[in-house]
Amino acid sequence: MTQETHDQLPLKLIDQFSYSPERFVVHSGIKEIVDSFEQISIAHKYSINFIFGQECVGKTHLSIYMAKHGQIKVIANLISGKEFGELIEAVNNKSLSVPEVLVVDDVDAYLNKIQPDHSGAFVTFIELCRRANSRIFLLSSTSIEDLPCDD
């Protein structure tokens, strides 16, 4: 048995593109969501919106576009689901004010960790947001039916 050796090709690897609102393409498959986001964001009326999509379909890029693009006059706060618990705690403890517009990417990272009968902090946060007429956009790769929740 002979062993073959191969020389490695000298490939020039380029850096991965970073997500940016300028690189986001509003195509026909996402236009309705973007239009709804823009309309809901400028209305001064409480709204909570759940956006479901499989992994690796562009939800993170969409969330960055939603929070950072300049076509709306409202600044949206963007956080990850991993940071969502910290934001909830800070708002509930009144060390941070309730966000006017909030975009939570990968909210399932937070919601999947809530144990039965331990959703009180989340419920309190949502109630504070309702009173403040916040607009909330939750992006998830877990469908709302598959998330654990209290009865």
Side-chain angles (χ1 to χ4, degrees):
M1 180 160 155
T2 61
Q3 183 175 359
E4 294 181 31
T5 59
H6 299 280
D7 292 329
Q8 185 160 349
L9 297 174
L11 300 175
K12 182 178 180 180
L13 301 176
I14 57 171
D15 291 333
Q16 182 178 359
F17 287 116
S18 61
Y19 295 132
S20 72
E22 297 79 25
R23 291 189 176 129
F24 188 78
V25 177
V26 180
H27 54 82
S28 62
I30 203 80
K31 184 166 180 12
E32 185 178 341
I33 291 173
V34 170
D35 290 346
S36 293
F37 167 75
E38 291 173 355
Q39 291 171 5
I40 292 166
S41 293
I42 60 174
H44 292 282
K45 181 179 167 187
Y46 169 72
S47 179
I48 186 166
N49 307 273
F50 190 86
I51 301 169
F52 166 71
Q54 299 293 326
E55 290 186 12
C56 300
V57 296
K59 292 181 307 301
T60 296
H61 202 174
L62 171 63
S63 68
I64 292 168
Y65 177 81
M66 291 166 72
K68 307 291 182 187
H69 84 297
Q71 295 181 15
I72 60 170
K73 303 293 185 234
V74 176
I75 297 172
N77 294 288
L78 171 64
I79 62 167
S80 73
K82 293 176 183 175
E83 302 166 317
F84 193 34
E86 295 171 26
L87 174 72
I88 288 171
E89 184 177 329
V91 169
N92 289 353
N93 293 332
K94 299 185 181 14
S95 58
L96 274 180
S97 60
V98 176
E100 186 175 358
V101 178
L102 176 64
V103 178
V104 184
D105 187 33
D106 295 325
V107 71
D108 44 321
Y110 170 77
L111 295 175
N112 279 322
K113 291 182 180 180
I114 297 177
Q115 299 297 317
D117 299 323
H118 289 88
S119 61
F122 177 72
V123 172
T124 299
F125 173 79
I126 295 300
E127 178 59 18
L128 291 170
C129 289
R130 184 191 66 78
R131 291 181 195 165
N133 287 322
S134 298
R135 280 78 73 205
I136 304 168
F137 299 87
L138 307 174
L139 289 83
S140 175
S141 57
T142 302
S143 72
I144 202 163
E145 295 84 14
D146 293 333
L147 289 169
C149 62
D150 295 343
D151 288 335

